[in-house]
Amino acid sequence: MSASEDRPATRSGTAAARDDGGGLTSAVVVVALVSAISGLLYGYDTGIISGALLQITDEFGIGSGWEQVIAASILAGAVVGALVCSRLSERLGRRTTLLVVAAVFVVGSLAASLAPNPLTLSLARIVLGFAVGGATQTAPVYVAELAPTRYRGRLVLFFQVAIGVGILIATIVGATESVDWRVAIGAAVVPSALMLGLMLRLPDSPRWLVKAGHRDQAREALQRVRPPGTDVSGELHEIDELVEAERTASTRGWRGLREPWVRPALVVGCGLAVFTQLSGIEMIVYYSPTILTDNGFSDSAALRVPVALGATYLVTQLIGLAIIDRVGRRRLTLLTLPGAALALVVLGTFFVTGNDGQAQVPYIIATLVAFMAFTAGGIQLMGWLTGSEIYPLATREAGAAAQSASLWGTNLLITLTLLSIIDTIGTGQTFWLYAAFNIAGFVFLYRRMPELTGRSLEQVEHELSAGRFTPADFARAR
């Protein structure tokens, strides 16, 4: 069988021309709010450790080894959560999986805030990580499968924006210095409980209900999230076709990712995920106060810097999201990566040449902000976005899970080793190392990543199945 014959069928003309699902309803807004809360918790729970580590180190009397373990433990849980929740959402449904994720957020936040020692804190953050990984895997899919077509992109992006909001809130809490780290971490219980309560009011994904053989419940779910009187028959028919195409495809699921014609998408997707982390953003988000205090900054100054970085992250993400469809995914990534690399080279030079004293503080902070702007407004937008676009329909969920696990796994490796690398080769040299990673990412994506902007999912899959998945192939096909 040829690759093109192996592909799942695309939508019929009738289904493609169906009504777009009408306007927004309160139920759809609540769905988007749940996704936003899960994104906020992701940003907050990963970002709060940045400032909290200074207090935790003093209270427990620990060194850089334990600091790395505490910071990285949430990422170990995220790898497991992304992979496990991918399967849970297929077997139990998106709604049930998100209920589990919300409950785990509550338990993990409480356990971390009450931890009596660094080991218990690390274990609690592994539990939190499971919820973080599960949320990143499930929440955007849940929104996409319930939102009306005309609002789908904007509602799914609530999750991405909320991550930036969570990081910013975490940095502000850390900068106050008056909030005990246990209170700061435990505060995540409130949005976690709100997410759990809201999920109890929502239906499951119509697409999952059809796959599970509950077509009447799928119709009821659509009617609950569409304006009163909307005829959902056309939308339900399209879901029937998509589910049938997925069910009959011989290339599907995790096994389908090993097919030669799917492999280029997997290489690009997972490679992009790896380089979003090797960009150095997690080094800055998790450890900037630690790095700065170790190099002579006061605690107050070191804790204020992440607030500027968090605000920059959020603002540049919003700018990036506003222009990405006009500039293009590939072009925006390639335009911003050199700027990030240059910023890290300059940062490294400050520290290597000894120009890291009080007089240079404004320049160091400005360079950190420039790095954050180039990274957050560029490659960081692509890590989650491409997972929903680059893979064939029948392997999309498995591909997104593999990409998510690659991202979290790389993040885990970086967080576990960063302070040790700094101790071994020096702060400035470490910044230079990550500058080299950005250059390598530029080369990889320049050679491998096609421009997906302006192409439907069916067009992307068609080019992939035909063996035309290079940047040059996509440029010729325009």
Side-chain angles (χ1 to χ4, degrees):
M1 179 179 289
S2 69
S4 58
E5 292 171 329
D6 196 38
R7 292 173 59 246
T10 56
R11 294 177 294 175
S12 70
T14 302
R18 67 163 174 82
D19 184 82
D20 66 6
L24 284 176
T25 63
S26 60
V28 171
V29 171
V30 173
V31 169
L33 180 59
V34 165
S35 175
I37 292 173
S38 67
L40 183 145
L41 285 166
Y42 161 23
Y44 185 84
D45 284 327
T46 55
I48 196 64
I49 202 64
S50 175
L53 270 178
L54 298 180
Q55 294 185 38
I56 291 168
T57 300
D58 290 341
E59 180 172 330
F60 291 148
I62 57 177
S64 60
W66 266 115
E67 287 182 64
Q68 290 177 146
V69 171
I70 291 170
S73 54
I74 197 170
L75 308 173
V79 174
V80 177
L83 295 174
V84 170
C85 287
S86 170
R87 297 188 180 276
L88 281 182
S89 68
E90 282 296 292
R91 293 186 181 183
L92 303 180
R94 315 322 186 204
R95 177 179 180 272
T96 301
T97 302
L98 285 173
L99 283 169
V100 170
V101 164
V104 173
F105 266 128
V106 172
V107 172
S109 299
L110 283 174
S113 67
L114 299 173
N117 53 57
L119 176 60
T120 308
L121 177 58
S122 298
L123 293 174
R125 281 177 60 78
I126 289 175
V127 173
L128 265 177
F130 181 93
V132 167
T136 59
Q137 178 61 35
T138 312
V141 174
Y142 181 65
V143 176
E145 293 181 348
L146 278 168
T149 300
R150 73 171 75 169
Y151 298 106
R152 183 172 298 149
R154 279 168 281 179
L155 293 179
V156 170
L157 290 177
F158 272 25
F159 179 83
Q160 182 88 36
V161 172
I163 294 172
V165 174
I167 291 173
L168 179 58
I169 293 172
T171 60
I172 293 172
V173 170
T176 63
E177 297 186 79
S178 60
V179 180
D180 184 80
W181 70 268
R182 295 182 184 276
V183 175
I185 290 176
V189 169
V190 176
S192 303
L194 177 61
M195 177 182 170
L196 182 62
L198 290 174
M199 279 305 308
L200 292 172
R201 299 176 50 196
L202 295 174
D204 213 325
S205 156
R207 184 172 179 271
W208 181 82
L209 289 169
V210 169
K211 286 181 68 174
H214 306 305
R215 197 174 187 278
D216 290 340
Q217 293 180 36
R219 179 181 290 276
E220 292 173 7
L222 280 174
Q223 289 171 338
R224 283 184 60 185
V225 296
R226 299 292 179 263
T230 299
D231 183 4
V232 299
S233 299
E235 192 171 359
L236 190 61
H237 178 64
E238 181 182 38
I239 293 171
D240 286 334
E241 288 190 327
L242 289 172
V243 169
E244 180 62 18
E246 185 175 344
R247 186 186 66 80
T248 57
S250 57
T251 301
R252 59 180 177 175
W254 287 92
R255 184 175 300 174
L257 293 178
R258 296 198 295 267
E259 292 288 335
W261 70 276
V262 179
R263 198 172 299 140
L266 185 65
V267 169
V268 171
C270 292
L272 178 59
V274 168
F275 281 112
T276 61
Q277 304 309 294
L278 290 178
S279 67
I281 192 167
E282 305 306 341
M283 166 176 63
I284 303 302
V285 169
Y286 295 147
Y287 291 132
S288 58
T290 301
I291 293 171
L292 295 175
T293 54
D294 287 349
N295 285 276
F297 282 58
S298 67
D299 283 4
S300 296
L303 287 170
R304 285 195 294 270
V305 170
V307 178
L309 297 178
T312 302
Y313 182 99
L314 179 57
V315 170
T316 52
Q317 284 253 302
L318 290 171
I319 293 171
L321 291 169
I323 66 173
I324 191 171
D325 285 326
R326 292 196 293 273
V327 177
R329 288 140 174 76
R330 181 175 187 269
R331 184 179 300 171
L332 184 61
T333 305
L334 296 179
L335 284 173
T336 52
L337 274 174
L342 179 60
L344 289 174
V345 169
V346 173
L347 274 171
T349 303
F350 279 124
F351 289 95
V352 169
T353 60
N355 291 301
D356 55 349
Q358 192 66 32
Q360 284 74 39
V361 166
Y363 304 107
I364 292 173
I365 293 174
T367 311
L368 280 168
V369 168
F371 164 77
M372 182 62 77
F374 282 119
T375 304
I379 195 171
Q380 293 303 313
L381 291 169
M382 311 306 163
W384 303 116
L385 180 60
T386 54
S388 63
E389 296 180 327
I390 204 168
Y391 302 103
L393 171 66
T395 63
R396 192 162 296 145
E397 187 142 6
Q403 188 164 327
S404 182
S406 299
L407 186 149
W408 289 118
T410 308
N411 197 338
L412 172 63
L413 180 63
I414 291 168
T415 311
L416 273 174
T417 59
L418 181 69
L419 294 181
S420 296
I421 292 174
I422 290 175
D423 289 342
T424 302
I425 67 174
T427 302
Q429 291 85 346
T430 302
F431 283 131
W432 285 350
L433 174 64
Y434 279 85
F437 289 151
N438 277 273
I439 295 169
F442 178 91
V443 173
F444 171 83
L445 295 171
Y446 179 82
R447 296 182 61 185
R448 291 278 193 162
M449 182 182 178
E451 181 57 80
L452 304 177
T453 304
R455 297 182 182 273
S456 70
L457 299 181
E458 289 79 12
Q459 288 173 327
V460 172
E461 184 170 340
H462 175 73
E463 297 298 318
L464 180 64
S465 68
R468 300 188 297 265
F469 206 70
T470 67
D473 290 331
F474 271 55
R476 283 194 295 269
R478 283 201 175 278

